[in-house]
PDB file of all heavy atoms in Angstrom:
ATOM      1  N   PHE A  19      96.362 -23.902 -46.772  1.00 95.00           N
ATOM      2  CA  PHE A  19      95.680 -22.657 -46.423  1.00 95.00           C
ATOM      3  C   PHE A  19      96.510 -21.454 -46.735  1.00 95.00           C
ATOM      4  O   PHE A  19      96.016 -20.409 -47.068  1.00 95.00           O
ATOM      5  CB  PHE A  19      95.293 -22.694 -44.963  1.00 95.00           C
ATOM      6  CG  PHE A  19      94.095 -23.619 -44.638  1.00 95.00           C
ATOM      7  CD1 PHE A  19      94.317 -24.847 -44.063  1.00 95.00           C
ATOM      8  CD2 PHE A  19      92.820 -23.175 -45.007  1.00 95.00           C
ATOM      9  CE1 PHE A  19      93.214 -25.685 -43.817  1.00 95.00           C
ATOM     10  CE2 PHE A  19      91.740 -24.007 -44.725  1.00 95.00           C
ATOM     11  CZ  PHE A  19      91.933 -25.227 -44.120  1.00 95.00           C
ATOM     12  N   LEU A  35      94.242 -26.274 -34.548  1.00 93.00           N
ATOM     13  CA  LEU A  35      93.020 -27.110 -34.673  1.00 93.00           C
ATOM     14  C   LEU A  35      93.238 -28.371 -35.453  1.00 93.00           C
ATOM     15  O   LEU A  35      92.341 -29.254 -35.528  1.00 93.00           O
ATOM     16  CB  LEU A  35      91.944 -26.307 -35.387  1.00 93.00           C
ATOM     17  CG  LEU A  35      91.284 -25.170 -34.569  1.00 93.00           C
ATOM     18  CD1 LEU A  35      90.473 -24.261 -35.469  1.00 93.00           C
ATOM     19  CD2 LEU A  35      90.481 -25.715 -33.442  1.00 93.00           C
ATOM     20  N   GLY A  36      94.417 -28.500 -36.101  1.00 92.00           N
ATOM     21  CA  GLY A  36      94.728 -29.732 -36.845  1.00 92.00           C
ATOM     22  C   GLY A  36      94.152 -29.724 -38.244  1.00 92.00           C
ATOM     23  O   GLY A  36      94.065 -30.800 -38.856  1.00 92.00           O
ATOM     24  N   TYR A  37      93.739 -28.585 -38.783  1.00 91.00           N
ATOM     25  CA  TYR A  37      93.246 -28.542 -40.136  1.00 91.00           C
ATOM     26  C   TYR A  37      94.483 -28.503 -41.052  1.00 91.00           C
ATOM     27  O   TYR A  37      95.286 -27.589 -40.962  1.00 91.00           O
ATOM     28  CB  TYR A  37      92.455 -27.263 -40.473  1.00 91.00           C
ATOM     29  CG  TYR A  37      91.127 -27.104 -39.753  1.00 91.00           C
ATOM     30  CD1 TYR A  37      90.742 -27.853 -38.702  1.00 91.00           C
ATOM     31  CD2 TYR A  37      90.268 -26.064 -40.189  1.00 91.00           C
ATOM     32  CE1 TYR A  37      89.525 -27.649 -38.103  1.00 91.00           C
ATOM     33  CE2 TYR A  37      89.061 -25.847 -39.631  1.00 91.00           C
ATOM     34  CZ  TYR A  37      88.697 -26.620 -38.510  1.00 91.00           C
ATOM     35  OH  TYR A  37      87.482 -26.413 -37.946  1.00 91.00           O
ATOM     36  N   GLN A  38      94.607 -29.499 -41.933  1.00 89.00           N
ATOM     37  CA  GLN A  38      95.848 -29.506 -42.750  1.00 89.00           C
ATOM     38  C   GLN A  38      95.588 -29.019 -44.163  1.00 89.00           C
ATOM     39  O   GLN A  38      96.360 -28.241 -44.749  1.00 89.00           O
ATOM     40  CB  GLN A  38      96.422 -30.934 -42.748  1.00 89.00           C
ATOM     41  CG  GLN A  38      97.169 -31.204 -41.483  1.00 89.00           C
ATOM     42  CD  GLN A  38      97.507 -32.681 -41.313  1.00 89.00           C
ATOM     43  OE1 GLN A  38      97.107 -33.519 -42.118  1.00 89.00           O
ATOM     44  NE2 GLN A  38      98.203 -33.000 -40.233  1.00 89.00           N
ATOM     45  N   THR A  39      94.470 -29.551 -44.731  1.00 89.00           N
ATOM     46  CA  THR A  39      94.169 -29.197 -46.106  1.00 89.00           C
ATOM     47  C   THR A  39      92.815 -28.532 -46.209  1.00 89.00           C
ATOM     48  O   THR A  39      91.889 -28.956 -45.492  1.00 89.00           O
ATOM     49  CB  THR A  39      94.124 -30.464 -47.004  1.00 89.00           C
ATOM     50  OG1 THR A  39      95.113 -31.360 -46.437  1.00 89.00           O
ATOM     51  CG2 THR A  39      94.354 -30.236 -48.431  1.00 89.00           C
ATOM     52  N   PRO A  40      92.675 -27.485 -47.030  1.00 91.00           N
ATOM     53  CA  PRO A  40      91.332 -26.901 -47.175  1.00 91.00           C
ATOM     54  C   PRO A  40      90.346 -27.853 -47.804  1.00 91.00           C
ATOM     55  O   PRO A  40      90.735 -28.686 -48.663  1.00 91.00           O
ATOM     56  CB  PRO A  40      91.584 -25.751 -48.156  1.00 91.00           C
ATOM     57  CG  PRO A  40      93.055 -25.558 -48.178  1.00 91.00           C
ATOM     58  CD  PRO A  40      93.682 -26.821 -47.871  1.00 91.00           C
ATOM     59  N   THR A  41      89.109 -27.897 -47.363  1.00 88.00           N
ATOM     60  CA  THR A  41      88.094 -28.718 -47.935  1.00 88.00           C
ATOM     61  C   THR A  41      87.656 -28.012 -49.287  1.00 88.00           C
ATOM     62  O   THR A  41      88.001 -26.830 -49.493  1.00 88.00           O
ATOM     63  CB  THR A  41      86.836 -28.849 -47.011  1.00 88.00           C
ATOM     64  OG1 THR A  41      86.244 -27.518 -46.896  1.00 88.00           O
ATOM     65  CG2 THR A  41      87.237 -29.337 -45.665  1.00 88.00           C
ATOM     66  N   GLN A  44      86.106 -24.648 -48.906  1.00 93.00           N
ATOM     67  CA  GLN A  44      87.055 -23.670 -48.442  1.00 93.00           C
ATOM     68  C   GLN A  44      87.957 -23.217 -49.608  1.00 93.00           C
ATOM     69  O   GLN A  44      88.286 -22.009 -49.730  1.00 93.00           O
ATOM     70  CB  GLN A  44      87.893 -24.249 -47.301  1.00 93.00           C
ATOM     71  CG  GLN A  44      87.056 -24.474 -46.009  1.00 93.00           C
ATOM     72  CD  GLN A  44      87.657 -25.386 -45.037  1.00 93.00           C
ATOM     73  OE1 GLN A  44      88.766 -25.935 -45.211  1.00 93.00           O
ATOM     74  NE2 GLN A  44      86.958 -25.636 -43.917  1.00 93.00           N
ATOM     75  N   GLN A  62      76.574 -28.703 -48.336  1.00 72.00           N
ATOM     76  CA  GLN A  62      75.871 -29.440 -47.266  1.00 72.00           C
ATOM     77  C   GLN A  62      76.666 -29.422 -45.948  1.00 72.00           C
ATOM     78  O   GLN A  62      77.829 -29.073 -45.916  1.00 72.00           O
ATOM     79  CB  GLN A  62      75.592 -30.904 -47.670  1.00 72.00           C
ATOM     80  CG  GLN A  62      76.818 -31.760 -47.893  1.00 72.00           C
ATOM     81  CD  GLN A  62      76.496 -32.990 -48.610  1.00 72.00           C
ATOM     82  OE1 GLN A  62      76.423 -33.060 -49.871  1.00 72.00           O
ATOM     83  NE2 GLN A  62      76.257 -34.094 -47.912  1.00 72.00           N
ATOM     84  N   THR A  63      76.008 -29.783 -44.880  1.00 71.00           N
ATOM     85  CA  THR A  63      76.664 -29.754 -43.556  1.00 71.00           C
ATOM     86  C   THR A  63      77.825 -30.695 -43.566  1.00 71.00           C
ATOM     87  O   THR A  63      77.800 -31.731 -44.234  1.00 71.00           O
ATOM     88  CB  THR A  63      75.651 -30.145 -42.454  1.00 71.00           C
ATOM     89  OG1 THR A  63      75.015 -31.348 -42.888  1.00 71.00           O
ATOM     90  CG2 THR A  63      74.588 -29.105 -42.259  1.00 71.00           C
ATOM     91  N   GLY A  64      78.835 -30.337 -42.823  1.00 73.00           N
ATOM     92  CA  GLY A  64      79.960 -31.188 -42.703  1.00 73.00           C
ATOM     93  C   GLY A  64      81.035 -30.980 -43.743  1.00 73.00           C
ATOM     94  O   GLY A  64      82.039 -31.697 -43.759  1.00 73.00           O
ATOM     95  N   THR A  65      80.813 -30.044 -44.573  1.00 80.00           N
ATOM     96  CA  THR A  65      81.765 -29.777 -45.662  1.00 80.00           C
ATOM     97  C   THR A  65      82.864 -28.773 -45.251  1.00 80.00           C
ATOM     98  O   THR A  65      83.775 -28.457 -46.048  1.00 80.00           O
ATOM     99  CB  THR A  65      81.057 -29.161 -46.885  1.00 80.00           C
ATOM    100  OG1 THR A  65      80.353 -28.005 -46.454  1.00 80.00           O
ATOM    101  CG2 THR A  65      80.088 -30.137 -47.537  1.00 80.00           C
ATOM    102  N   GLY A  66      82.735 -28.193 -44.077  1.00 87.00           N
ATOM    103  CA  GLY A  66      83.691 -27.189 -43.600  1.00 87.00           C
ATOM    104  C   GLY A  66      83.298 -25.776 -44.079  1.00 87.00           C
ATOM    105  O   GLY A  66      84.161 -24.905 -44.176  1.00 87.00           O
ATOM    106  N   LYS A  67      82.050 -25.573 -44.294  1.00 91.00           N
ATOM    107  CA  LYS A  67      81.611 -24.281 -44.842  1.00 91.00           C
ATOM    108  C   LYS A  67      81.813 -23.132 -43.828  1.00 91.00           C
ATOM    109  O   LYS A  67      82.045 -22.013 -44.236  1.00 91.00           O
ATOM    110  CB  LYS A  67      80.163 -24.348 -45.330  1.00 91.00           C
ATOM    111  CG  LYS A  67      79.109 -24.573 -44.253  1.00 91.00           C
ATOM    112  CD  LYS A  67      77.767 -24.808 -44.872  1.00 91.00           C
ATOM    113  CE  LYS A  67      76.791 -25.286 -43.799  1.00 91.00           C
ATOM    114  NZ  LYS A  67      76.379 -24.342 -42.819  1.00 91.00           N
ATOM    115  N   THR A  68      81.719 -23.430 -42.540  1.00 94.00           N
ATOM    116  CA  THR A  68      81.839 -22.376 -41.571  1.00 94.00           C
ATOM    117  C   THR A  68      83.225 -21.734 -41.693  1.00 94.00           C
ATOM    118  O   THR A  68      83.334 -20.475 -41.737  1.00 94.00           O
ATOM    119  CB  THR A  68      81.676 -22.975 -40.120  1.00 94.00           C
ATOM    120  OG1 THR A  68      80.583 -23.796 -40.089  1.00 94.00           O
ATOM    121  CG2 THR A  68      81.532 -21.840 -39.077  1.00 94.00           C
ATOM    122  N   ALA A  69      84.272 -22.548 -41.756  1.00 96.00           N
ATOM    123  CA  ALA A  69      85.594 -21.987 -41.945  1.00 96.00           C
ATOM    124  C   ALA A  69      85.718 -21.310 -43.336  1.00 96.00           C
ATOM    125  O   ALA A  69      86.431 -20.340 -43.491  1.00 96.00           O
ATOM    126  CB  ALA A  69      86.659 -23.063 -41.783  1.00 96.00           C
ATOM    127  N   GLN A 105      77.453 -22.521 -31.933  1.00 91.00           N
ATOM    128  CA  GLN A 105      78.469 -23.369 -32.587  1.00 91.00           C
ATOM    129  C   GLN A 105      79.310 -22.525 -33.570  1.00 91.00           C
ATOM    130  O   GLN A 105      80.551 -22.668 -33.586  1.00 91.00           O
ATOM    131  CB  GLN A 105      77.778 -24.478 -33.319  1.00 91.00           C
ATOM    132  CG  GLN A 105      78.688 -25.409 -34.049  1.00 91.00           C
ATOM    133  CD  GLN A 105      77.947 -26.467 -34.745  1.00 91.00           C
ATOM    134  OE1 GLN A 105      77.259 -27.301 -34.159  1.00 91.00           O
ATOM    135  NE2 GLN A 105      78.043 -26.520 -36.104  1.00 91.00           N
ATOM    136  N   GLN A 112      87.665 -19.622 -32.151  1.00 97.00           N
ATOM    137  CA  GLN A 112      88.898 -20.426 -32.272  1.00 97.00           C
ATOM    138  C   GLN A 112      89.763 -19.886 -33.461  1.00 97.00           C
ATOM    139  O   GLN A 112      90.968 -19.747 -33.315  1.00 97.00           O
ATOM    140  CB  GLN A 112      88.581 -21.914 -32.507  1.00 97.00           C
ATOM    141  CG  GLN A 112      87.995 -22.538 -31.257  1.00 97.00           C
ATOM    142  CD  GLN A 112      87.583 -23.986 -31.519  1.00 97.00           C
ATOM    143  OE1 GLN A 112      87.365 -24.397 -32.642  1.00 97.00           O
ATOM    144  NE2 GLN A 112      87.456 -24.763 -30.441  1.00 97.00           N
ATOM    145  N   TYR A 113      89.084 -19.602 -34.552  1.00 98.00           N
ATOM    146  CA  TYR A 113      89.868 -19.110 -35.679  1.00 98.00           C
ATOM    147  C   TYR A 113      90.527 -17.706 -35.407  1.00 98.00           C
ATOM    148  O   TYR A 113      91.620 -17.441 -35.856  1.00 98.00           O
ATOM    149  CB  TYR A 113      89.029 -18.972 -36.951  1.00 98.00           C
ATOM    150  CG  TYR A 113      88.287 -20.249 -37.407  1.00 98.00           C
ATOM    151  CD1 TYR A 113      87.047 -20.195 -37.973  1.00 98.00           C
ATOM    152  CD2 TYR A 113      88.892 -21.515 -37.186  1.00 98.00           C
ATOM    153  CE1 TYR A 113      86.385 -21.346 -38.319  1.00 98.00           C
ATOM    154  CE2 TYR A 113      88.225 -22.658 -37.605  1.00 98.00           C
ATOM    155  CZ  TYR A 113      86.967 -22.536 -38.142  1.00 98.00           C
ATOM    156  OH  TYR A 113      86.292 -23.723 -38.501  1.00 98.00           O
ATOM    157  N   GLY A 323      73.031 -27.891 -38.817  1.00 54.00           N
ATOM    158  CA  GLY A 323      74.230 -27.207 -38.430  1.00 54.00           C
ATOM    159  C   GLY A 323      74.999 -27.734 -37.222  1.00 54.00           C
ATOM    160  O   GLY A 323      76.130 -27.391 -37.033  1.00 54.00           O
ATOM    161  N   LEU A 324      74.360 -28.569 -36.392  1.00 64.00           N
ATOM    162  CA  LEU A 324      75.059 -28.978 -35.187  1.00 64.00           C
ATOM    163  C   LEU A 324      76.249 -29.908 -35.574  1.00 64.00           C
ATOM    164  O   LEU A 324      76.036 -30.856 -36.330  1.00 64.00           O
ATOM    165  CB  LEU A 324      74.127 -29.650 -34.186  1.00 64.00           C
ATOM    166  CG  LEU A 324      72.992 -28.832 -33.739  1.00 64.00           C
ATOM    167  CD1 LEU A 324      72.191 -29.581 -32.693  1.00 64.00           C
ATOM    168  CD2 LEU A 324      73.412 -27.512 -33.220  1.00 64.00           C
ATOM    169  N   ASP A 325      77.367 -29.589 -35.028  1.00 65.00           N
ATOM    170  CA  ASP A 325      78.536 -30.377 -35.348  1.00 65.00           C
ATOM    171  C   ASP A 325      78.925 -31.172 -34.135  1.00 65.00           C
ATOM    172  O   ASP A 325      79.372 -30.667 -33.134  1.00 65.00           O
ATOM    173  CB  ASP A 325      79.647 -29.439 -35.743  1.00 65.00           C
ATOM    174  CG  ASP A 325      80.922 -30.246 -36.090  1.00 65.00           C
ATOM    175  OD1 ASP A 325      80.753 -31.334 -36.713  1.00 65.00           O
ATOM    176  OD2 ASP A 325      81.999 -29.812 -35.734  1.00 65.00           O
ATOM    177  N   GLU A 327      81.302 -34.144 -33.008  1.00 66.00           N
ATOM    178  CA  GLU A 327      82.503 -34.900 -33.538  1.00 66.00           C
ATOM    179  C   GLU A 327      82.204 -36.360 -33.564  1.00 66.00           C
ATOM    180  O   GLU A 327      81.767 -36.981 -32.582  1.00 66.00           O
ATOM    181  CB  GLU A 327      83.684 -34.568 -32.647  1.00 66.00           C
ATOM    182  CG  GLU A 327      84.894 -34.216 -33.496  1.00 66.00           C
ATOM    183  CD  GLU A 327      85.973 -33.652 -32.625  1.00 66.00           C
ATOM    184  OE1 GLU A 327      85.794 -32.558 -32.097  1.00 66.00           O
ATOM    185  OE2 GLU A 327      86.951 -34.378 -32.443  1.00 66.00           O
ATOM    186  N   ARG A 353      80.475 -36.828 -40.826  1.00 59.00           N
ATOM    187  CA  ARG A 353      80.959 -35.451 -41.090  1.00 59.00           C
ATOM    188  C   ARG A 353      82.486 -35.461 -41.275  1.00 59.00           C
ATOM    189  O   ARG A 353      83.150 -36.362 -40.814  1.00 59.00           O
ATOM    190  CB  ARG A 353      80.592 -34.495 -39.966  1.00 59.00           C
ATOM    191  CG  ARG A 353      79.198 -34.669 -39.531  1.00 59.00           C
ATOM    192  CD  ARG A 353      78.700 -33.506 -38.841  1.00 59.00           C
ATOM    193  NE  ARG A 353      78.470 -32.400 -39.784  1.00 59.00           N
ATOM    194  CZ  ARG A 353      78.313 -31.115 -39.406  1.00 59.00           C
ATOM    195  NH1 ARG A 353      78.405 -30.770 -38.202  1.00 59.00           N
ATOM    196  NH2 ARG A 353      78.111 -30.162 -40.360  1.00 59.00           N
ATOM    197  N   ALA A 354      82.931 -34.443 -41.982  1.00 57.00           N
ATOM    198  CA  ALA A 354      84.395 -34.224 -42.167  1.00 57.00           C
ATOM    199  C   ALA A 354      85.148 -35.496 -42.491  1.00 57.00           C
ATOM    200  O   ALA A 354      86.144 -35.830 -41.900  1.00 57.00           O
ATOM    201  CB  ALA A 354      84.987 -33.553 -40.977  1.00 57.00           C
TER     202      ALA A 354
HETATM  203  P1  AMP B   7      81.106 -27.370 -40.865  1.00 66.70           P
HETATM  204  O1  AMP B   7      80.601 -28.017 -42.170  1.00 66.70           O
HETATM  205  O2  AMP B   7      81.566 -26.008 -41.081  1.00 66.70           O
HETATM  206  O3  AMP B   7      80.106 -27.525 -39.750  1.00 66.70           O
HETATM  207  O4  AMP B   7      82.423 -28.223 -40.426  1.00 66.70           O
HETATM  208  C1  AMP B   7      82.376 -29.612 -40.122  1.00 66.70           C
HETATM  209  C2  AMP B   7      83.558 -30.027 -39.277  1.00 66.70           C
HETATM  210  O5  AMP B   7      84.730 -30.063 -40.066  1.00 66.70           O
HETATM  211  C3  AMP B   7      83.873 -29.109 -38.098  1.00 66.70           C
HETATM  212  O6  AMP B   7      84.087 -29.960 -36.968  1.00 66.70           O
HETATM  213  C4  AMP B   7      85.131 -28.411 -38.469  1.00 66.70           C
HETATM  214  O7  AMP B   7      85.909 -28.113 -37.347  1.00 66.70           O
HETATM  215  C5  AMP B   7      85.784 -29.492 -39.338  1.00 66.70           C
HETATM  216  N1  AMP B   7      86.676 -28.909 -40.387  1.00 66.70           N
HETATM  217  C6  AMP B   7      86.397 -27.848 -41.143  1.00 66.70           C
HETATM  218  N2  AMP B   7      87.365 -27.580 -42.052  1.00 66.70           N
HETATM  219  C7  AMP B   7      88.298 -28.501 -41.858  1.00 66.70           C
HETATM  220  C8  AMP B   7      89.577 -28.824 -42.467  1.00 66.70           C
HETATM  221  N3  AMP B   7      90.044 -28.139 -43.523  1.00 66.70           N
HETATM  222  N4  AMP B   7      90.307 -29.877 -41.997  1.00 66.70           N
HETATM  223  C9  AMP B   7      89.755 -30.559 -40.991  1.00 66.70           C
HETATM  224  N5  AMP B   7      88.596 -30.434 -40.373  1.00 66.70           N
HETATM  225  C10 AMP B   7      87.876 -29.369 -40.777  1.00 66.70           C
END
Side-chain angles (χ1 to χ4, degrees):
F19 284 105
L35 289 168
Y37 293 13
Q38 282 167 356
T39 323
T41 66
Q44 291 162 0
Q62 66 193 84
T63 49
T65 54
K67 67 187 168 70
T68 315
Q105 182 181 296
Q112 290 177 339
Y113 303 146
L324 300 185
D325 180 38
E327 227 169 292
R353 314 201 74 194

